[in-house]
Amino acid sequence: MSNTDKIPVGIVGASGYGGVQLVRILLDHPHVELTYLGGESSAGQSYGQVYPHLAHRISLKVESIDLDEIARRCRVVFLGLPNGIACDLAPQLVDRGCKVLDLSADYRFRDLNTYEDWYGKSRSDQEVAAMAVYGLPELNREAIAEANLIGCPGCYPTASLLALLPLLKQGIIIPETAIIDAKSGTSGGGRQAKTNMLLAEAGGSFSAYGVGRHRHTPEIEQICTDLAGHEVRIQFTPHLVPMPRGILSTVYATLRDPGLVREDLLTIYNAFYRNSPWVKVLPSGVYPQTKWALGTNLCYLGVEVDPRTDRVIVLSAIDNLMKGQSGQAVQCMNLMLGLDETIGLPQLAFYP
Ligand SMILES: NC(=O)C1=CN([C@@H]2O[C@H](COP(=O)(O)OP(=O)(O)OC[C@H]3O[C@@H](n4cnc5c(N)ncnc54)[C@H](OP(=O)(O)O)[C@@H]3O)[C@@H](O)[C@H]2O)C=CC1
Ligand SMILES: CC(=O)N[C@@H](CCC(=O)OP(=O)(O)O)C(=O)O
């Protein structure tokens, strides 16, 4: 592909945390060119005013949202907006010929009754939602490559499902025994001011939230149900950790075959992910740390079996803003454009 063939790409919600990660990744992507950045309260400012450390790399302004103008200037559009807004924009952008990747929850659910129950917004775009593809490449690589609209997964579902997929696909666990204990850095809550994210509130503390009812529960259950072939309910508890970014998700489930040991599970995981460049199964007895994934699109998995309880324990570490959000969206974009899924995405963390 020559320079003149670069694909024009826009970001709506460019001033947010997901938006700035997309800008950072796409500025160095060899096959795309940023042609539109959109926002709400930041509209009218240069991008360098919003993020001064990027002023030397980008001269675009943040603009208000004009769908005709976006479609005129972009072939691919990322929507990094609060939940409940993309559903008013995405269908019109797809109609105008754009490929759309929505970072919010609006197109993650095939059945909008579930979305309405958990997100409290009524929807009339069931047909569009049914054609959207869930953007987890390790699950849906072929469908993503053919799609025009991607519902990118949530950060906790990404970390947790990558831990669960080999177990569910091969019937190794009793799905309804799955318990997910996940911890996130504060950037998971986005860039807008929130009291519970203040340094004085979250800084020296570690707490659970959404206990018994977090909206990522039905998202994880949708995939577990598909893979198990019957309705599955799981237990999920998120926690807020005093660090800027990263997720560690620890998943427990009961083995169907109590004879399996750690080495058996590692063989299964390594085989399952052998063609998935963004998932790294760690060697026997090694468990992931969030800092290994920071700034990269990688998911690190550590696998263990407790023979006393017949439970498998899988630990999954990602950067919530990368594999948990913008990095994964670019991985999907690469597939939609027929490119290698690793192109343009950082592989090395700034560890230690
Ligand atoms: N943070 C994370 O770890 C993850 C987030 N997500 C999801 O990705 C999406 C974006 O999240 P994140 O980047 O954290 O969000 P931020 O809060 O950091 O950014 C939100 C963006 O949306 C824009 N915006 C807000 N309200 C409106 C509106 N009414 N109309 C148009 N634009 C609006 C803001 O523009 P302005 O600043 O100009 O007002 C800003 O650019 C959310 O749906 C989130 O749930 C998914 C996975 C992980
Ligand atoms: C730490 C923190 O607040 N995390 C967010 C999850 C971010 C995310 O993935 O949210 P969406 O599903 O809305 O896209 C939360 O629990 O609401």
Side-chain angles (χ1 to χ4, degrees), residues 83 103-105 108 119 153-157 184-189 194 197 209 214-216 219 238-240 324:
N83 293 314
L103 272 46
S104 82
R108 295 176 194 162
Y119 288 82
C155 46
Y156 289 121
S184 172
T186 56
S187 59
K194 291 177 189 159
M197 298 295 185
Y209 65 100
H214 187 281
R215 61 188 194 288
H216 284 173
E219 188 182 328
H239 300 75
L240 193 62

Side-chain angles (χ1 to χ4, degrees), residues 233-245:
R233 295 269 178 268
I234 53 99
Q235 208 69 61
F236 165 63
T237 307
H239 300 75
L240 193 62
V241 181
M243 61 185 187
R245 56 203 274 183

Side-chain angles (χ1 to χ4, degrees), residues 72-218:
R72 196 180 66 74
R73 280 200 251 155
C74 308
R75 201 172 130 205
V76 175
V77 183
F78 293 89
L79 303 176
L81 302 166
N83 293 314
I85 299 179
C87 54
D88 296 327
L89 310 179
Q92 300 185 63
L93 288 168
V94 172
D95 276 352
R96 286 164 168 81
C98 298
K99 288 189 180 288
V100 177
L101 298 109
D102 175 26
L103 272 46
S104 82
D106 288 12
Y107 290 104
R108 295 176 194 162
F109 295 92
R110 260 191 322 275
D111 175 4
L112 285 183
N113 290 322
T114 311
Y115 177 92
E116 289 175 0
D117 278 357
W118 289 79
Y119 288 82
K121 174 172 168 127
S122 47
R123 298 271 297 270
S124 55
D125 55 337
Q126 177 63 58
E127 229 173 273
V128 184
M131 70 154 210
V133 173
Y134 191 66
L136 189 62
E138 292 72 16
L139 174 71
N140 275 336
R141 200 169 265 112
E142 288 75 26
I144 291 167
E146 300 301 317
N148 288 324
L149 175 58
I150 301 290
C152 296
C155 46
Y156 289 121
T158 295
S160 308
L161 287 169
L162 290 174
L164 279 166
L165 286 186
L167 302 172
L168 290 166
K169 280 242 180 181
Q170 305 202 11
I172 289 165
I173 54 164
I174 301 164
E176 24 296 291
T177 64
I179 295 178
I180 301 168
D181 177 86
K183 305 101 195 156
S184 172
T186 56
S187 59
R191 200 182 191 215
Q192 36 344 10
K194 291 177 189 159
T195 306
N196 68 324
M197 298 295 185
L198 291 170
L199 187 62
E201 305 279 337
S205 193
F206 176 15
S207 55
Y209 65 100
V211 181
R213 195 178 162 88
H214 187 281
R215 61 188 194 288
H216 284 173
T217 305

